[in-house]
Amino acid sequence: MGRSYNEEMEYVEKLTPYSWRIKKGFVPNMKVEGVFYVNSHLEKLMFDELKQSCRSAGYGGFLPGMKQIGNVAALPGIVGKSVGLPDVHSGYGFAIGNMAAFDVDDPISVVSPGGVGFDINCGVRLLRTNLFEKDVLPVKEQLAQSMFNHIPVGVGSKGIIPMGARDLEEALEMGMDWSLREGYIWAEDKEHCEEYGRMLQADPSKVSMRAKKRGLPQLGTLGAGNHYAEIQVVDEIFNEFNAKKMGIEEKGQICVMIHCGSRGLGHQVATDALVAMEKAMKRDKIDVNDRQLACARINSQEGQDYLKGMAAAANYAWVNRSSMTFLCRQAFAKMFHSSPDDLDMHVIYDVSHNIAKVEEHFIDGRQKTLLVHRKGSTRAFPPHHPLIPVDYQLTGQPVLIGGTMGTCSYVLTGTEQGMNDTFGSTCHGAGRALSRAKSRRNLDYTDVLKSLEEKGISIRVASPKLVMEEAPESYKNVTDVVDTCHLAGISQKCVKLRPIAVIKG
């Protein structure tokens, strides 16, 4: 039988107005403490989730985000803290919005696919333009339709970028270098992308035939779920210097945000790895609190195979976002009888939300090489960090926070405090407040569409059911999430964007 809510609360204490500590003992075998960031609104959601799980006798299989942060803190080789960001909510293995770092030089340290997620390198890319809202409003409906026609969407959507088996192998290995060679991107797009759009340890031979078969037809497709392409308007500028460095000059400017990942290929890579790791755990006698946290020693065959396969899936996702960038540029150029170059359709930045990366960080004043798992969280490196582009050395890395359908999105920048407190990580979006099933039960899609129309947002969607699952009511308030990160100092607000057209699966 689980503990009562009041007993659980003895292990949780408030550190600052925006953060809480989870003490060792909250769940068994914790090696480090947990920490999560929330404001008063988000705090209520976190604690309600814990309360609800205490009512389900012995958790009844339902693990609240707080417990998951604790279970991650019990994994072998974890250093620092298990961190929950303000958009944190219950997920598979790790909570979504949970990051953790493992010491690469410690032989017991593990890599866990549950700490990356099934949609490997799901991420967001933002393009700027030199158009303004007044230019787009008269043709908004046609432009939305043109984008919907250009970008294949929906669950089983097939890509229009021609791809044979050999192209796929090369794309998995080369990432955006493949897109560049094939003429789908501009050379400078790579500069403004995490890892320059290519993880060098990718090995396509570690990706199963089944995963490749799923990935082959889907390249350059948006897919379903919370993925979208949006035409957005700069609504507010919080830091003019940083915004100017990104080419965002004034309110009313038009940007395009693309949110998608590695589709069926990434999902299959994760599934395959979990099966292999269950066996490795028995062999290496690795104990975890939750079966979903299946993992393998970083330096084991299984650990290395997964990291090479994950890198290949990450490369696929960058090629996918690059292909959609190409299609967006085409749609805009056609609509405005111009060229993407003349429309200044440059990539501001491209961030990953679901990825594990080897990085250098300081722990207790000593530099260490860590494998940082970011699941539903975004890298947010500070100014002067060697891994961010020259253009952003003074501002810190741009961080793209996608809102939910019909709500605003944000651009933040990384801070030194975030580097120290969260291994240079911040939130990734709004984070669900209602499960997909609950959203479908509680909402009527015609109401959702009507409310979008009232806000002046055009929508093109492949399936009405999806409209309910992705309605703003299903999510936490993205402004709450972003403000918490800003006030906690782990990233800084730069620009707020509001959507005027949404293309969804």
Side-chain angles (χ1 to χ4, degrees):
M1 187 57 199
R3 292 189 292 235
S4 73
Y5 178 68
N6 290 341
E7 288 169 322
E8 297 282 21
M9 287 306 291
E10 286 172 23
Y11 289 93
V12 186
E13 69 169 326
K14 196 163 193 166
L15 288 175
T16 71
Y18 303 101
S19 63
W20 288 74
R21 169 163 54 209
I22 300 173
K23 298 180 215 169
K24 289 182 184 177
F26 182 63
V27 300
N29 310 320
M30 284 172 71
K31 318 274 189 293
V32 296
E33 292 186 327
V35 65
F36 60 94
Y37 292 85
V38 281
N39 65 5
S40 50
H41 289 172
L42 301 169
E43 185 179 293
K44 188 178 176 314
L45 286 168
M46 276 300 265
F47 288 107
D48 283 354
E49 197 182 47
L50 185 65
K51 235 179 229 158
Q52 193 190 334
S53 75
C54 290
R55 282 194 213 107
S56 323
Y59 304 122
F62 159 63
L63 271 184
M66 241 186 270
K67 286 277 170 192
Q68 292 190 302
I69 294 169
N71 285 338
V72 167
L75 288 172
I78 186 170
V79 293
K81 299 187 229 19
S82 171
V83 179
L85 295 149
D87 46 351
V88 68
H89 58 288
S90 187
Y92 182 94
F94 279 51
I96 295 162
N98 189 183
M99 67 72 46
F102 298 81
D103 184 347
V104 170
D105 299 319
D106 184 342
I108 67 163
S109 285
V110 295
V111 56
S112 174
V116 170
F118 282 98
D119 192 358
I120 294 167
N121 190 7
C122 177
V124 174
R125 173 175 293 204
L126 187 65
L127 313 176
R128 64 172 193 243
T129 73
N130 54 18
L131 296 164
F132 282 85
E133 189 171 12
K134 62 178 191 321
D135 305 317
V136 169
L137 282 181
V139 293
K140 185 177 73 170
E141 290 298 334
Q142 295 97 299
L143 186 57
Q145 192 58 46
S146 174
M147 279 177 66
F148 191 70
N149 295 344
H150 274 79
I151 300 173
V153 298
V155 178
S157 51
K158 289 190 170 31
I160 54 173
I161 302 278
M163 260 254 160
R166 174 140 177 239
D167 293 306
L168 180 65
E169 293 286 323
E170 290 173 350
L172 290 175
E173 188 177 331
M174 295 168 67
M176 280 172 68
D177 285 334
W178 180 86
S179 306
L180 184 61
R181 188 190 76 190
E182 298 297 316
Y184 293 118
I185 61 167
W186 304 342
E188 52 269 38
D189 293 353
K190 275 183 56 184
E191 295 292 314
H192 286 178
C193 188
E194 236 176 275
E195 303 287 315
Y196 298 103
R198 176 180 187 176
M199 284 185 96
L200 295 171
Q201 71 269 45
D203 181 349
S205 72
K206 304 299 181 195
V207 176
S208 69
M209 279 317 293
R210 180 153 187 214
K212 287 172 183 166
K213 206 171 162 185
R214 289 180 70 176
L216 187 59
Q218 291 184 333
L219 197 75
T221 65
L222 196 56
N226 59 353
H227 295 159
Y228 57 75
E230 269 185 8
I231 302 169
Q232 300 176 335
V233 179
V234 174
D235 202 31
E236 242 177 293
I237 296 176
F238 305 103
N239 185 318
E240 289 201 356
F241 175 83
N242 289 358
K244 275 204 164 72
K245 288 279 183 207
M246 298 175 197
I248 293 177
E249 299 287 337
E250 54 185 298
K251 282 167 73 163
Q253 193 174 337
I254 294 289
C255 294
V256 181
M257 186 176 268
I258 298 168
H259 175 200
C260 72
S262 50
R263 304 293 321 273
L265 180 129
H267 200 286
Q268 193 62 47
V269 167
T271 307
D272 294 341
L274 288 167
V275 173
M277 286 184 183
E278 290 229 340
K279 293 180 187 141
M281 285 170 70
K282 285 198 185 87
R283 182 192 68 212
D284 296 338
K285 302 188 174 47
I286 301 172
D287 282 325
V288 292
N289 288 352
D290 175 8
R291 271 197 61 200
Q292 293 184 355
L293 288 170
C295 54
R297 306 259 185 251
I298 293 174
N299 295 318
S300 67
Q301 183 72 49
E302 293 81 1
Q304 286 300 307
D305 283 356
Y306 169 69
L307 285 168
K308 290 169 184 169
M310 179 208 73
N315 286 348
Y316 178 96
W318 279 312
V319 172
N320 203 17
R321 290 200 281 280
S322 298
S323 304
M324 275 182 273
T325 301
F326 173 76
L327 298 167
C328 280
R329 283 171 173 158
Q330 299 295 93
F332 267 76
K334 215 181 228 174
M335 182 56 63
F336 293 100
H337 308 295
S338 184
S339 72
D341 210 3
D342 288 340
L343 293 171
D344 191 39
M345 293 189 76
H346 282 276
V347 173
I348 290 178
Y349 207 60
D350 178 300
V351 294
S352 309
H353 291 158
N354 286 358
I355 206 157
K357 291 206 275 197
V358 176
E359 296 172 359
E360 302 290 321
H361 290 272
F362 284 91
I363 302 269
D364 305 325
R366 288 175 53 207
Q367 189 171 349
K368 287 198 174 282
T369 305
L370 306 178
L371 180 65
V372 182
H373 292 61
R374 291 193 184 90
K375 176 183 183 175
S377 66
T378 312
R379 189 184 81 175
F381 280 171
H384 313 301
H385 194 286
L387 290 182
I388 59 178
V390 177
D391 323 13
Y392 300 135
Q393 282 294 315
L394 296 176
T395 65
Q397 178 205 310
V399 179
L400 311 173
I401 307 300
T404 54
M405 186 174 67
T407 66
C408 53
S409 296
Y410 287 86
V411 183
L412 315 177
T413 49
T415 63
E416 202 53 61
Q417 191 182 337
M419 203 61 186
N420 299 329
D421 293 355
T422 60
F423 298 98
S425 312
T426 191
C427 63
H428 86 301
R432 291 196 82 86
L434 289 180
S435 71
R436 293 182 191 281
K438 236 190 205 148
S439 304
R440 288 198 297 271
R441 282 200 299 274
N442 296 359
L443 302 165
D444 175 7
Y445 82 92
T446 49
D447 294 343
V448 178
L449 290 176
K450 203 162 128 195
S451 99
L452 289 172
E453 200 178 324
E454 281 162 8
K455 290 180 194 157
I457 300 169
S458 306
I459 179 155
R460 294 291 182 281
V461 64
S463 133
K465 181 179 81 174
L466 199 97
V467 174
M468 300 176 300
E469 291 179 7
E470 298 305 320
E473 294 83 346
S474 310
Y475 284 86
K476 297 177 181 179
N477 179 335
V478 69
T479 304
D480 273 338
V481 170
V482 165
D483 285 348
T484 304
C485 291
H486 181 79
L487 293 165
I490 56 175
S491 46
Q492 206 183 22
K493 290 201 293 192
C494 182
V495 175
K496 177 182 173 190
L497 302 150
R498 66 179 159 82
I500 56 171
V502 186
I503 285 80
K504 280 192 85 76

